[in-house]
PDB file of all heavy atoms in Angstrom:
ATOM      1  N   MET C   1      20.522  25.769 -22.578  1.00 44.00           N
ATOM      2  CA  MET C   1      19.860  24.877 -23.252  1.00 44.00           C
ATOM      3  C   MET C   1      18.437  24.583 -22.911  1.00 44.00           C
ATOM      4  O   MET C   1      17.819  23.796 -23.668  1.00 44.00           O
ATOM      5  CB  MET C   1      20.719  23.553 -23.376  1.00 44.00           C
ATOM      6  CG  MET C   1      21.983  23.746 -24.311  1.00 44.00           C
ATOM      7  SD  MET C   1      21.754  24.582 -25.889  1.00 44.00           S
ATOM      8  CE  MET C   1      20.743  23.451 -26.752  1.00 44.00           C
ATOM      9  N   THR C   2      18.172  25.021 -21.744  1.00 51.00           N
ATOM     10  CA  THR C   2      16.651  24.660 -21.410  1.00 51.00           C
ATOM     11  C   THR C   2      15.847  25.651 -22.024  1.00 51.00           C
ATOM     12  O   THR C   2      14.612  25.535 -22.044  1.00 51.00           O
ATOM     13  CB  THR C   2      16.518  25.018 -19.870  1.00 51.00           C
ATOM     14  OG1 THR C   2      16.919  26.176 -19.473  1.00 51.00           O
ATOM     15  CG2 THR C   2      17.392  23.823 -19.099  1.00 51.00           C
ATOM     16  N   GLN C   3      16.351  26.613 -22.751  1.00 73.00           N
ATOM     17  CA  GLN C   3      15.472  27.663 -23.465  1.00 73.00           C
ATOM     18  C   GLN C   3      15.613  27.334 -24.973  1.00 73.00           C
ATOM     19  O   GLN C   3      16.691  27.449 -25.521  1.00 73.00           O
ATOM     20  CB  GLN C   3      15.981  29.017 -23.165  1.00 73.00           C
ATOM     21  CG  GLN C   3      15.247  30.172 -23.767  1.00 73.00           C
ATOM     22  CD  GLN C   3      15.847  31.436 -23.476  1.00 73.00           C
ATOM     23  OE1 GLN C   3      16.862  31.632 -22.912  1.00 73.00           O
ATOM     24  NE2 GLN C   3      15.207  32.521 -23.943  1.00 73.00           N
ATOM     25  N   GLY C   4      14.474  27.102 -25.635  1.00 88.00           N
ATOM     26  CA  GLY C   4      14.485  26.914 -27.016  1.00 88.00           C
ATOM     27  C   GLY C   4      14.219  28.223 -27.710  1.00 88.00           C
ATOM     28  O   GLY C   4      14.218  29.336 -27.128  1.00 88.00           O
ATOM     29  N   LEU C   5      13.981  28.173 -28.998  1.00 92.00           N
ATOM     30  CA  LEU C   5      13.906  29.276 -29.883  1.00 92.00           C
ATOM     31  C   LEU C   5      13.180  28.731 -31.168  1.00 92.00           C
ATOM     32  O   LEU C   5      13.554  27.798 -31.705  1.00 92.00           O
ATOM     33  CB  LEU C   5      15.221  29.866 -30.207  1.00 92.00           C
ATOM     34  CG  LEU C   5      15.392  30.974 -31.347  1.00 92.00           C
ATOM     35  CD1 LEU C   5      14.851  32.230 -30.788  1.00 92.00           C
ATOM     36  CD2 LEU C   5      16.823  30.955 -31.774  1.00 92.00           C
ATOM     37  N   THR C   6      12.325  29.632 -31.664  1.00 96.00           N
ATOM     38  CA  THR C   6      11.682  29.359 -33.016  1.00 96.00           C
ATOM     39  C   THR C   6      12.189  30.365 -33.997  1.00 96.00           C
ATOM     40  O   THR C   6      11.943  31.631 -33.787  1.00 96.00           O
ATOM     41  CB  THR C   6      10.123  29.246 -32.906  1.00 96.00           C
ATOM     42  OG1 THR C   6       9.759  28.152 -32.135  1.00 96.00           O
ATOM     43  CG2 THR C   6       9.552  29.206 -34.274  1.00 96.00           C
ATOM     44  N   LEU C   7      12.710  29.859 -35.100  1.00 96.00           N
ATOM     45  CA  LEU C   7      13.039  30.727 -36.211  1.00 96.00           C
ATOM     46  C   LEU C   7      11.870  30.517 -37.198  1.00 96.00           C
ATOM     47  O   LEU C   7      11.692  29.455 -37.662  1.00 96.00           O
ATOM     48  CB  LEU C   7      14.330  30.394 -36.919  1.00 96.00           C
ATOM     49  CG  LEU C   7      15.643  30.698 -36.177  1.00 96.00           C
ATOM     50  CD1 LEU C   7      16.809  30.135 -36.852  1.00 96.00           C
ATOM     51  CD2 LEU C   7      15.797  32.214 -36.084  1.00 96.00           C
ATOM     52  N   TRP C   8      11.141  31.521 -37.486  1.00 97.00           N
ATOM     53  CA  TRP C   8      10.008  31.476 -38.426  1.00 97.00           C
ATOM     54  C   TRP C   8      10.245  32.031 -39.771  1.00 97.00           C
ATOM     55  O   TRP C   8      10.374  33.300 -39.884  1.00 97.00           O
ATOM     56  CB  TRP C   8       8.824  32.099 -37.811  1.00 97.00           C
ATOM     57  CG  TRP C   8       7.440  31.776 -38.352  1.00 97.00           C
ATOM     58  CD1 TRP C   8       6.840  32.248 -39.426  1.00 97.00           C
ATOM     59  CD2 TRP C   8       6.464  30.817 -37.808  1.00 97.00           C
ATOM     60  NE1 TRP C   8       5.750  31.678 -39.881  1.00 97.00           N
ATOM     61  CE2 TRP C   8       5.340  30.804 -38.756  1.00 97.00           C
ATOM     62  CE3 TRP C   8       6.500  29.959 -36.723  1.00 97.00           C
ATOM     63  CZ2 TRP C   8       4.232  29.913 -38.593  1.00 97.00           C
ATOM     64  CZ3 TRP C   8       5.484  29.004 -36.553  1.00 97.00           C
ATOM     65  CH2 TRP C   8       4.390  29.116 -37.472  1.00 97.00           C
ATOM     66  N   PHE C   9      10.558  31.167 -40.687  1.00 98.00           N
ATOM     67  CA  PHE C   9      10.866  31.710 -42.110  1.00 98.00           C
ATOM     68  C   PHE C   9       9.564  31.853 -42.774  1.00 98.00           C
ATOM     69  O   PHE C   9       8.679  30.993 -43.021  1.00 98.00           O
ATOM     70  CB  PHE C   9      11.622  30.638 -42.848  1.00 98.00           C
ATOM     71  CG  PHE C   9      12.890  30.331 -42.275  1.00 98.00           C
ATOM     72  CD1 PHE C   9      13.118  29.535 -41.194  1.00 98.00           C
ATOM     73  CD2 PHE C   9      14.057  31.047 -42.863  1.00 98.00           C
ATOM     74  CE1 PHE C   9      14.392  29.236 -40.735  1.00 98.00           C
ATOM     75  CE2 PHE C   9      15.398  30.874 -42.318  1.00 98.00           C
ATOM     76  CZ  PHE C   9      15.449  29.771 -41.247  1.00 98.00           C
ATOM     77  N   THR C  10       9.240  33.212 -43.254  1.00 97.00           N
ATOM     78  CA  THR C  10       7.916  33.418 -43.946  1.00 97.00           C
ATOM     79  C   THR C  10       8.275  34.127 -45.291  1.00 97.00           C
ATOM     80  O   THR C  10       9.327  34.914 -45.316  1.00 97.00           O
ATOM     81  CB  THR C  10       7.016  34.402 -43.049  1.00 97.00           C
ATOM     82  OG1 THR C  10       5.879  34.633 -43.712  1.00 97.00           O
ATOM     83  CG2 THR C  10       7.688  35.566 -42.517  1.00 97.00           C
ATOM     84  N   GLY C  11       7.430  33.876 -46.213  1.00 97.00           N
ATOM     85  CA  GLY C  11       7.594  34.506 -47.480  1.00 97.00           C
ATOM     86  C   GLY C  11       6.896  33.832 -48.601  1.00 97.00           C
ATOM     87  O   GLY C  11       6.263  32.771 -48.258  1.00 97.00           O
ATOM     88  N   LEU C  12       6.766  34.350 -49.771  1.00 96.00           N
ATOM     89  CA  LEU C  12       6.046  33.674 -50.901  1.00 96.00           C
ATOM     90  C   LEU C  12       6.528  32.339 -51.189  1.00 96.00           C
ATOM     91  O   LEU C  12       7.722  31.964 -50.905  1.00 96.00           O
ATOM     92  CB  LEU C  12       6.161  34.567 -52.189  1.00 96.00           C
ATOM     93  CG  LEU C  12       5.494  35.955 -52.118  1.00 96.00           C
ATOM     94  CD1 LEU C  12       5.892  36.781 -53.360  1.00 96.00           C
ATOM     95  CD2 LEU C  12       3.978  35.748 -51.983  1.00 96.00           C
ATOM     96  N   SER C  13       5.745  31.552 -51.860  1.00 94.00           N
ATOM     97  CA  SER C  13       6.252  30.228 -52.338  1.00 94.00           C
ATOM     98  C   SER C  13       7.330  30.540 -53.329  1.00 94.00           C
ATOM     99  O   SER C  13       7.286  31.261 -54.219  1.00 94.00           O
ATOM    100  CB  SER C  13       4.928  29.633 -53.112  1.00 94.00           C
ATOM    101  OG  SER C  13       5.481  28.372 -53.606  1.00 94.00           O
ATOM    102  N   GLY C  14       8.477  29.831 -53.208  1.00 94.00           N
ATOM    103  CA  GLY C  14       9.616  29.913 -54.079  1.00 94.00           C
ATOM    104  C   GLY C  14      10.547  30.991 -53.693  1.00 94.00           C
ATOM    105  O   GLY C  14      11.495  31.087 -54.323  1.00 94.00           O
ATOM    106  N   ALA C  15      10.320  31.688 -52.587  1.00 96.00           N
ATOM    107  CA  ALA C  15      11.260  32.700 -52.072  1.00 96.00           C
ATOM    108  C   ALA C  15      12.593  32.226 -51.589  1.00 96.00           C
ATOM    109  O   ALA C  15      13.640  32.767 -51.471  1.00 96.00           O
ATOM    110  CB  ALA C  15      10.676  33.548 -51.006  1.00 96.00           C
ATOM    111  N   GLY C  16      12.597  30.934 -51.085  1.00 96.00           N
ATOM    112  CA  GLY C  16      13.797  30.259 -50.491  1.00 96.00           C
ATOM    113  C   GLY C  16      13.647  29.845 -49.014  1.00 96.00           C
ATOM    114  O   GLY C  16      14.648  29.678 -48.463  1.00 96.00           O
ATOM    115  N   LYS C  17      12.457  29.862 -48.396  1.00 96.00           N
ATOM    116  CA  LYS C  17      12.281  29.553 -47.123  1.00 96.00           C
ATOM    117  C   LYS C  17      12.798  28.172 -46.663  1.00 96.00           C
ATOM    118  O   LYS C  17      13.692  28.031 -45.812  1.00 96.00           O
ATOM    119  CB  LYS C  17      10.758  29.606 -46.703  1.00 96.00           C
ATOM    120  CG  LYS C  17      10.177  30.831 -46.834  1.00 96.00           C
ATOM    121  CD  LYS C  17       8.739  30.857 -46.524  1.00 96.00           C
ATOM    122  CE  LYS C  17       8.001  29.897 -47.341  1.00 96.00           C
ATOM    123  NZ  LYS C  17       7.923  30.090 -48.879  1.00 96.00           N
ATOM    124  N   THR C  18      12.481  27.134 -47.379  1.00 95.00           N
ATOM    125  CA  THR C  18      12.900  25.800 -47.081  1.00 95.00           C
ATOM    126  C   THR C  18      14.406  25.612 -47.286  1.00 95.00           C
ATOM    127  O   THR C  18      15.187  24.983 -46.511  1.00 95.00           O
ATOM    128  CB  THR C  18      12.316  24.755 -47.830  1.00 95.00           C
ATOM    129  OG1 THR C  18      10.808  24.880 -47.616  1.00 95.00           O
ATOM    130  CG2 THR C  18      12.616  23.378 -47.540  1.00 95.00           C
ATOM    131  N   THR C  19      15.044  26.270 -48.388  1.00 96.00           N
ATOM    132  CA  THR C  19      16.374  26.215 -48.592  1.00 96.00           C
ATOM    133  C   THR C  19      17.123  26.804 -47.513  1.00 96.00           C
ATOM    134  O   THR C  19      18.140  26.250 -47.002  1.00 96.00           O
ATOM    135  CB  THR C  19      16.766  26.967 -49.944  1.00 96.00           C
ATOM    136  OG1 THR C  19      16.073  26.371 -50.946  1.00 96.00           O
ATOM    137  CG2 THR C  19      18.211  26.994 -50.180  1.00 96.00           C
ATOM    138  N   LEU C  20      16.824  27.903 -46.980  1.00 98.00           N
ATOM    139  CA  LEU C  20      17.549  28.589 -45.927  1.00 98.00           C
ATOM    140  C   LEU C  20      17.314  27.778 -44.682  1.00 98.00           C
ATOM    141  O   LEU C  20      18.272  27.608 -43.840  1.00 98.00           O
ATOM    142  CB  LEU C  20      17.029  30.033 -45.774  1.00 98.00           C
ATOM    143  CG  LEU C  20      17.321  31.067 -46.845  1.00 98.00           C
ATOM    144  CD1 LEU C  20      16.780  32.364 -46.493  1.00 98.00           C
ATOM    145  CD2 LEU C  20      18.742  31.024 -47.185  1.00 98.00           C
ATOM    146  N   ASN C  21      16.072  27.355 -44.452  1.00 97.00           N
ATOM    147  CA  ASN C  21      15.834  26.567 -43.182  1.00 97.00           C
ATOM    148  C   ASN C  21      16.751  25.324 -43.138  1.00 97.00           C
ATOM    149  O   ASN C  21      17.386  25.104 -42.058  1.00 97.00           O
ATOM    150  CB  ASN C  21      14.387  25.994 -43.383  1.00 97.00           C
ATOM    151  CG  ASN C  21      13.973  25.127 -42.199  1.00 97.00           C
ATOM    152  OD1 ASN C  21      14.683  24.232 -41.685  1.00 97.00           O
ATOM    153  ND2 ASN C  21      12.682  25.201 -41.702  1.00 97.00           N
ATOM    154  N   ILE C  22      16.911  24.599 -44.190  1.00 97.00           N
ATOM    155  CA  ILE C  22      17.831  23.418 -44.173  1.00 97.00           C
ATOM    156  C   ILE C  22      19.249  23.790 -43.878  1.00 97.00           C
ATOM    157  O   ILE C  22      19.958  23.124 -43.117  1.00 97.00           O
ATOM    158  CB  ILE C  22      17.672  22.539 -45.556  1.00 97.00           C
ATOM    159  CG1 ILE C  22      16.219  21.986 -45.527  1.00 97.00           C
ATOM    160  CG2 ILE C  22      18.705  21.524 -45.723  1.00 97.00           C
ATOM    161  CD1 ILE C  22      15.908  21.583 -46.866  1.00 97.00           C
ATOM    162  N   ALA C  23      19.725  24.843 -44.577  1.00 97.00           N
ATOM    163  CA  ALA C  23      21.103  25.298 -44.402  1.00 97.00           C
ATOM    164  C   ALA C  23      21.418  25.716 -42.984  1.00 97.00           C
ATOM    165  O   ALA C  23      22.349  25.366 -42.353  1.00 97.00           O
ATOM    166  CB  ALA C  23      21.442  26.381 -45.412  1.00 97.00           C
ATOM    167  N   VAL C  24      20.376  26.457 -42.381  1.00 96.00           N
ATOM    168  CA  VAL C  24      20.601  26.917 -40.947  1.00 96.00           C
ATOM    169  C   VAL C  24      20.503  25.715 -40.051  1.00 96.00           C
ATOM    170  O   VAL C  24      21.273  25.585 -38.995  1.00 96.00           O
ATOM    171  CB  VAL C  24      19.543  28.018 -40.588  1.00 96.00           C
ATOM    172  CG1 VAL C  24      19.642  28.363 -39.045  1.00 96.00           C
ATOM    173  CG2 VAL C  24      19.859  29.241 -41.481  1.00 96.00           C
ATOM    174  N   ARG C  25      19.627  24.853 -40.237  1.00 96.00           N
ATOM    175  CA  ARG C  25      19.385  23.618 -39.531  1.00 96.00           C
ATOM    176  C   ARG C  25      20.698  22.789 -39.383  1.00 96.00           C
ATOM    177  O   ARG C  25      21.240  22.468 -38.289  1.00 96.00           O
ATOM    178  CB  ARG C  25      18.307  22.752 -40.098  1.00 96.00           C
ATOM    179  CG  ARG C  25      18.174  21.461 -39.226  1.00 96.00           C
ATOM    180  CD  ARG C  25      17.480  20.410 -40.082  1.00 96.00           C
ATOM    181  NE  ARG C  25      18.299  19.888 -41.185  1.00 96.00           N
ATOM    182  CZ  ARG C  25      17.840  19.374 -42.328  1.00 96.00           C
ATOM    183  NH1 ARG C  25      16.516  19.092 -42.396  1.00 96.00           N
ATOM    184  NH2 ARG C  25      18.672  19.100 -43.252  1.00 96.00           N
TER     185      ARG C  25
END
């Protein structure tokens, strides 16, 4: 737990980045 991680969601506007981000979060 001392080691973090960044998941970087990239894609066009409207591709679903925020939707997936929230669900994974």
Side-chain angles (χ1 to χ4, degrees):
M1 286 313 299
T2 58
Q3 179 183 8
L5 169 74
T6 293
L7 287 173
W8 194 280
F9 296 84
T10 179
L12 292 171
S13 180
K17 298 177 300 298
T18 301
T19 299
L20 295 180
N21 177 320
I22 292 167
V24 171
R25 179 201 65 202

